[in-house]
Amino acid sequence: GDTLITTVGRMILTLTDTNKKGYRIGGDEFVIVVETPQEGEIDNLLQKWDELIKLQSQVVEIDLSIAVGYALGEGKEIDRIIKEADKLMYQKKKQQKYYK
């Protein structure tokens, strides 16, 4: 468990830069905050994440289950943004993808 969480954290770090910051907010929950995203930047980030998960799933000996949600808003609304993204993530979790 700890090894997988550390691996995911490192994967998220590869997606960060000056306007994208990654955080672990719970046991196995992470968030990437994108400040002032450009058009298509979120879609590009999600595509890169999906590619990283597919590559990692070929390396590890377990099936990976990943659900992603996102929301837009301003920094002062961070609690609402995270709740909205979390809700979308759980909706997507019902349609779960397994990578192997």
Side-chain angles (χ1 to χ4, degrees):
D2 289 344
T3 301
L4 191 54
I5 288 171
T6 301
T7 300
V8 169
R10 287 185 181 135
M11 291 166 56
I12 287 172
L13 281 177
T14 69
L15 300 173
T16 63
D17 59 27
T18 56
N19 78 321
K20 292 186 255 339
K21 307 291 187 241
Y23 304 94
R24 181 177 175 199
I25 61 170
D28 63 350
E29 293 187 4
F30 295 84
V31 64
I32 296 177
V33 176
V34 182
E35 300 172 19
T36 319
Q38 301 298 311
E39 175 123 9
E41 188 172 5
I42 302 298
D43 289 334
N44 187 36
L45 182 64
L46 292 170
Q47 181 180 353
K48 286 180 180 179
W49 176 249
D50 195 48
E51 291 169 5
L52 283 171
I53 292 298
K54 287 178 183 175
L55 285 172
Q56 186 63 34
S57 70
Q58 294 172 0
V59 174
V60 297
E61 298 291 325
I62 59 173
D63 292 339
L64 296 177
S65 170
I66 305 295
V68 175
Y70 71 93
L72 303 175
E74 296 183 24
K76 62 185 176 185
E77 305 173 295
I78 193 69
D79 290 332
R80 180 200 59 80
I81 296 167
I82 290 174
K83 285 179 186 176
E84 188 177 322
D86 206 41
K87 181 179 175 183
L88 180 60
M89 186 262 313
Y90 279 107
Q91 288 173 356
K92 290 191 177 208
K93 201 171 202 172
K94 290 180 183 178
Q95 307 162 347
Q96 204 63 28
K97 283 185 177 179
Y98 289 92
Y99 296 94
K100 193 63 181 164

